[in-house]
């Protein structure tokens, strides 16, 4: 597809030494080690910085510049944008969907009704309500003054000694506040509790006492966490008297960054947290597909395979979701909706990768503390560096789409939350005000994006006449009854809505695999992987699973419904774009596909499998 031509279709080798691509887009470039900036922006609202590719610390830092360059994996060709994305930003108010529900934006919580949250199995009820009075009146958010310095977020594994010491000092001072003044909302535990409040059921949605406020599993995930980091970063800078202080980011999308950053390993450091999986400290490599109990790769070949698969998964995530933001960011959620009852909401593909990093980092036994559990995740300093990279990945996505608003929907744009700033002032923020990091006075250092150069998938060998000698497996349709995904792989035959679609048809609608009616205990981790291949002679398939299409990954959390029983399950769905996957496995002409659901972790029930065309 022309609009996706920035992604190469051939794999580079070796992956550890990608070439340096170039990105023309509206920019603000930090050119020197003193972080002097030169900005060239054409819009004060939606022109946002981009993040590109150089690890040369003697050259420019920050967001990318404009210019020319051939063969760039992230080159933003505006002719391709116009051709490939067409009417994406004009004809419909909600990309991929007409508004299917009359609703309203999610409102800030009623502080007077904050109650016990639920930490889940092995934890039980927890008190994480804010320390300030319930009648505190918030002020509306004001962007930082133009005179404020731009904070440049750098990769954690590239920090210099002075930067590490400054970061450790800021965290130490925040931890001290918890001891000297436990009620200070800027303190370590109070800041960690913010995540608990919005993620583990401490708040109800305003006007809906039976619906908990939950910022995961929907289009709220990325904006809410961007605001969370924004105020957290400002508080840290204020504690050490440095308005230029910036959070580092865990650069887990590049090979050299696919390890727990060494700054978090020192047991004497303020950055240390004891509730981690110690076996995953370096030299253990991060595996996006990790499930509790998996062995740590021990050979050079096994490590390289994990790195390659991580890069391929990132490449697929962007290429399959660029024209349909809900696939990247998550489904809509409106006031009064509980995701497990009113709508089977689907997390975006970036959130799923994010979940995998949480599972890999946190402990693999009950009660899955800190990075392994939403209620306590903010107690680990690595959480904020992890989310700094999640935020960066969103910014890269926005840049690839020309910094256009993903959902032109008032229920998203006007959803709002409450945070405390560095002056202990309660502040009300809106989703629509967080799109441009430059206005929030932060940016990201340029680093290489090797996943943008990697081939999406290796071609699968077609089943030929020799396949008759294989032990072929008969498959059938899913049927009407839910199926338990426990120990055995479930293979189902799924009919496509249309085969052999033209280029124009693909640009107008994304072919999406939908796993419906997924139910798993909310207080337990779960995961399953999805593979796709073509059948042989109608309803037979070779033993090979085919091509990896994506995963469903969930951390222990609180649902949005009021029932908090230990056996409570959350109903959700998984949506995976497959336009490009089908091209890569030569399945364009197939009327049916074989979808395999491979259990990896937890007790999961699946209600159905289908393939739909969703308009862009």
């Amino acid at each position: 597809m022309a609009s996706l031509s920035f992604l190469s279709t051939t794999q580079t080798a070796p992956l550890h030494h990608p070439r340096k691509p170039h990105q023309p887009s509206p920019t603000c470039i930090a050119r020197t080690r003193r972080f002097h900036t030169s900005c060239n922006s054409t819009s004060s609202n939606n022109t946002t910085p981009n993040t590109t590719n150089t690890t040369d610390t003697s050259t420019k830092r920050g967001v990318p510049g404009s210019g020319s360059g051939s063969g760039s994996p992230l080159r933003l060709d505006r002719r391709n944008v116009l051709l490939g994305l067409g009417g994406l930003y004009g004809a419909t108010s909600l990309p991929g969907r007409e508004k299917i529900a009359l609703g309203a934006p999610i409102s800030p919580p009623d502080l007077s009704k904050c109650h016990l949250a639920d930490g889940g199995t092995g934890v039980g009820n927890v008190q994480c309500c804010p320390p300030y009075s319930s009648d505190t009146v918030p002020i509306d958010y004001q962007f930082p003054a133009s005179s404020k310095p731009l904070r440049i977020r750098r990769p954690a594994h590239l920090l210099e000694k002075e930067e590490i010491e400054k970061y450790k000092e800021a965290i130490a001072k925040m931890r001290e506040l918890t001891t000297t003044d436990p009620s200070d909302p800027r303190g370590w535990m109070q800041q960690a509790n913010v995540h608990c409040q919005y993620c583990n059921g401490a708040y109800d949605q305003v006007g809906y006492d039976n619906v908990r406020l939950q910022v995961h599993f929907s289009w709220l995930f990325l904006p809410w966490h961007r605001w969370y980091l924004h105020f957290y970063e400002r508080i840290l800078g204020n504690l050490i008297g440095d308005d230029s202080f910036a959070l580092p980011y865990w650069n887990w999308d590049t090979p050299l960054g696919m390890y727990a950053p060494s700054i978090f390993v020192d047991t004497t450091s303020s950055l240390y947290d004891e509730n981690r999986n110690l076996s995953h400290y370096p030299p253990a490599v991060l595996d996006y597909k990790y499930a509790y109990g998996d062995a740590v790769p021990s050979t050079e070949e096994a490590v390289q395979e994990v790195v390659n698969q991580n890069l391929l998964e990132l490449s697929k995530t962007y290429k399959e979701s660029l024209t349909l933001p809900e696939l990247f960011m998550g489904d809509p959620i409106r006031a009064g909706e509980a995701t497990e009852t009113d709508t089977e909401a689907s997390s975006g593909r970036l959130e799923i990768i994010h979940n995998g990093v949480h599972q890999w980092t946190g402990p693999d036994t009950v009660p899955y503390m800190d990075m392994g559990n939403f209620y306590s995740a903010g107690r680990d300093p690595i959480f904020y560096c992890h989310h700094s990279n999640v935020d960066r990945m969103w910014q890269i996505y926005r840049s690839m789409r020309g910094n256009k608003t993903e959902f032109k929907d008032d229920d998203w744009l006007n959803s709002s939350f409450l945070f405390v700033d560095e002056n202990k002032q309660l502040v009300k923020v809106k989703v629509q005000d967080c799109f441009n990091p430059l206005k929030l006075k932060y940016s990201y250092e340029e680093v290489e994006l090797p996943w943008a150069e990697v081939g999406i998938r290796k071609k699968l060998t077609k089943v030929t006449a020799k396949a008759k000698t294989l032990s072929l497996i008969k498959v059938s349709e899913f049927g009407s009854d839910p199926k338990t995904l426990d120990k055995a792989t479930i293979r189902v035959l799924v009919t496509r809505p249309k085969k052999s679609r033209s280029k124009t048809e693909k640009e107008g609608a994304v072919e999406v695999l939908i796993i419906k009616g997924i139910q798993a205990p909310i207080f337990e981790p779960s995961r399953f992987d999805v593979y796709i291949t073509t059948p042989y002679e109608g309803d037979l398939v070779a033993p090979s699973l085919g091509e990896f299409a994506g995963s469903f990954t969930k951390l222990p959390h609180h649902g949005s419904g009021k029932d908090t029983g230990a056996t409570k399950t959350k109903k959700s769905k998984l949506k995976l774009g497959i336009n490009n996957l089908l091209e890569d496995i030569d399945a364009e002409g197939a009327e049916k596909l074989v979808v395999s659901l491979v259990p990896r972790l937890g007790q999961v029930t699946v209600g159905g499998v289908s393939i739909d065309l969703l308009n862009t």
Side-chain angles (χ1 to χ4, degrees):
M1 298 171 63
S3 61
L4 305 178
S5 61
F6 58 84
L7 286 169
S8 171
T9 56
T10 58
Q11 181 169 311
T12 60
L15 294 177
H16 284 283
H17 301 284
R19 56 194 172 83
K20 295 181 179 180
H22 161 82
Q23 295 175 300
S25 64
T27 64
C28 179
I29 306 171
R31 297 184 180 280
T32 71
R33 295 198 58 78
R34 292 188 177 89
F35 303 146
H36 292 168
T37 61
S38 171
C39 299
N40 178 17
S41 175
T42 59
S43 169
S44 62
N45 293 320
N46 286 330
T47 299
T48 51
N50 194 354
T51 308
T52 55
N53 319 341
T54 176
T55 55
D56 183 356
T57 57
S58 66
T59 59
K60 62 188 178 182
R61 287 183 178 175
V63 288
S66 58
S68 61
S70 60
S72 165
L74 284 186
R75 177 168 179 165
L76 187 59
D77 188 329
R78 297 197 178 277
R79 292 173 300 172
N80 285 343
V81 170
L82 292 173
L83 288 171
L85 304 186
L88 182 60
Y89 310 113
T92 60
S93 62
L94 179 61
R97 220 63 60 263
E98 293 295 333
K99 242 177 155 176
I100 59 174
L102 293 176
I106 299 294
S107 299
D110 182 344
L111 301 179
S112 68
K113 295 185 177 181
C114 187
H115 46 70
L116 291 175
D118 200 323
T121 305
V123 178
N125 290 336
V126 291
Q127 174 59 264
C128 60
C129 291
Y132 38 81
S133 172
S134 61
D135 60 359
T136 302
V137 178
I139 62 172
D140 289 334
Y141 179 77
Q142 298 292 322
F143 290 104
S146 59
S147 59
K148 291 287 186 180
L150 187 67
R151 305 174 190 267
I152 306 296
R153 296 180 181 176
R154 299 199 61 221
H157 71 287
L158 297 180
L159 293 181
E160 297 177 358
K161 183 178 180 180
E162 61 199 65
E163 295 170 316
I164 296 172
E165 292 305 313
K166 183 182 292 186
Y167 183 33
K168 289 162 62 176
E169 179 190 3
I171 294 296
K173 286 184 177 296
M174 183 178 277
R175 288 185 183 275
E176 287 172 9
L177 281 178
T178 294
T179 302
T180 60
D181 187 359
S183 65
D184 191 322
R186 303 170 303 164
W188 180 255
M189 286 300 294
Q190 295 295 351
Q191 282 296 296
N193 283 344
V194 173
H195 198 262
C196 174
Q197 293 157 17
Y198 280 88
C199 309
N200 283 75
Y203 292 135
D204 299 325
Q205 288 190 32
V206 173
Y208 303 93
D209 290 344
N210 63 335
V211 181
R212 301 296 191 235
L213 182 56
Q214 173 59 261
V215 295
H216 293 81
F217 325 118
S218 74
W219 62 6
L220 298 180
F221 170 72
L222 291 171
W224 185 89
H225 284 84
R226 172 167 286 185
W227 281 120
Y228 186 22
L229 292 190
H230 174 61
F231 288 103
Y232 178 82
E233 182 176 63
R234 284 171 49 169
I235 291 170
L236 288 177
N238 180 262
L239 290 175
I240 59 173
D242 186 352
D243 285 346
S244 69
F245 172 82
L247 278 170
Y249 62 89
W250 181 0
N251 191 196
W252 40 251
D253 61 301
T254 192
L256 293 179
M258 289 179 188
Y259 301 86
S262 60
I263 61 173
F264 297 104
V265 176
D266 180 3
T267 58
T268 65
S269 168
S270 62
L271 304 179
Y272 186 74
D273 184 88
E274 62 183 6
N275 293 316
R276 297 183 189 141
N277 189 328
L278 301 184
S279 68
H280 288 169
Y281 280 169
V285 64
L286 168 64
D287 184 357
Y288 296 173
K289 294 173 65 177
Y290 169 78
Y292 292 144
D294 287 357
V296 174
S298 57
T299 67
E300 183 178 349
E301 293 77 12
V303 168
Q304 187 61 56
E305 178 62 19
V306 169
V307 170
N308 289 355
Q309 290 302 316
N310 287 347
L311 296 176
L312 289 170
E313 173 60 12
L314 281 170
S315 185
K316 289 184 289 185
T317 294
Y318 282 82
K319 192 169 184 179
E320 297 286 12
S321 64
L322 273 180
T323 57
L324 197 59
E326 65 197 61
L327 298 180
F328 187 85
M329 301 187 64
D331 277 348
I333 183 72
R334 309 177 193 280
E337 290 182 342
T339 54
E340 63 266 39
T341 56
D342 297 302
T343 177
E344 289 186 14
S346 174
S347 298
R349 195 154 179 169
L350 180 59
E351 185 177 357
I352 292 171
I353 293 175
H354 144 275
N355 290 347
V357 178
H358 267 272
Q359 285 190 347
W360 185 86
T361 307
D364 58 3
T365 56
V366 174
Y368 309 110
M369 293 293 291
D370 296 8
M371 279 290 280
N373 193 318
F374 281 167
Y375 104 89
S376 57
R379 299 179 185 181
D380 188 340
I382 206 172
F383 166 86
Y384 303 94
C385 291
H386 169 40
H387 271 276
S388 187
N389 201 48
V390 171
D391 181 74
R392 170 176 163 267
M393 302 306 284
W394 179 27
Q395 198 55 32
I396 292 171
Y397 178 80
R398 301 200 80 242
S399 177
M400 288 180 176
R401 288 170 40 85
N403 299 313
K404 301 294 184 179
T405 302
E406 289 87 349
F407 305 99
K408 291 188 175 179
D409 188 309
D410 288 342
D411 287 354
W412 185 58
L413 298 172
N414 291 316
S415 286
S416 48
F417 320 107
L418 298 177
F419 293 96
V420 169
D421 68 11
E422 65 274 24
N423 300 313
K424 298 196 261 188
Q425 174 67 57
L426 189 63
V427 183
K428 176 184 174 182
V429 299
K430 290 186 176 182
V431 166
Q432 64 185 340
D433 289 330
C434 76
F435 297 152
N436 188 347
L438 289 182
K439 294 186 70 176
L440 303 181
K441 303 303 287 189
Y442 78 91
S443 185
Y444 291 98
E445 175 176 297
E446 297 180 13
V447 295
E448 295 186 355
L449 302 174
W451 49 266
E453 298 184 72
V454 179
I456 298 281
R457 303 173 183 86
K458 296 178 181 178
K459 296 282 187 178
L460 295 180
T461 303
K462 293 181 180 180
V463 178
T464 64
K466 294 181 180 180
K468 294 180 179 179
T469 63
L470 298 175
S471 178
L472 297 179
I473 301 169
K474 186 177 179 65
V475 291
S476 59
E477 295 182 352
F478 189 92
S480 58
D481 296 327
K483 300 182 186 300
T484 300
L485 188 58
D486 188 2
K487 296 180 180 180
T489 294
I490 296 176
R491 295 175 183 247
V492 295
L493 198 62
V494 186
T495 301
R496 295 176 63 199
K498 185 177 182 180
K499 68 175 186 178
S500 302
R501 294 197 302 142
S502 68
K503 179 181 177 181
T504 300
E505 288 175 320
K506 292 178 185 178
E507 290 171 347
V510 178
E511 192 162 356
V512 179
L513 173 67
I514 303 178
I515 317 296
K516 295 171 282 195
I518 302 172
Q519 296 191 70
I522 62 176
F523 293 131
E524 298 293 335
S526 57
R527 179 186 182 107
F528 65 84
D529 295 335
V530 182
Y531 292 80
I532 293 178
T533 190
T534 52
Y536 178 72
E537 290 188 349
D539 60 357
L540 299 175
V541 66
S544 171
L545 292 172
E547 182 65 21
F548 177 69
S551 297
F552 173 86
T553 308
K554 183 186 68 62
L555 295 175
H557 65 283
H558 193 292
S560 54
K562 195 169 185 178
D563 182 3
T564 60
T567 59
K568 171 70 176 178
T569 61
K570 171 183 170 60
K571 185 176 289 187
S572 57
K573 62 174 175 279
L574 174 65
K575 300 197 299 190
L576 299 169
I578 59 174
N579 269 9
N580 299 281
L581 182 151
L582 297 182
E583 293 177 2
D584 291 339
I585 65 173
D586 294 330
E588 282 293 286
E591 293 183 355
K592 297 184 178 182
L593 300 173
V594 176
V595 176
S596 297
L597 309 181
V598 181
R600 299 290 310 285
L601 180 67
Q603 301 292 321
V604 180
T605 299
V606 175
V609 182
S610 64
I611 297 175
D612 294 339
L613 293 177
L614 302 185
N615 295 329
T616 59

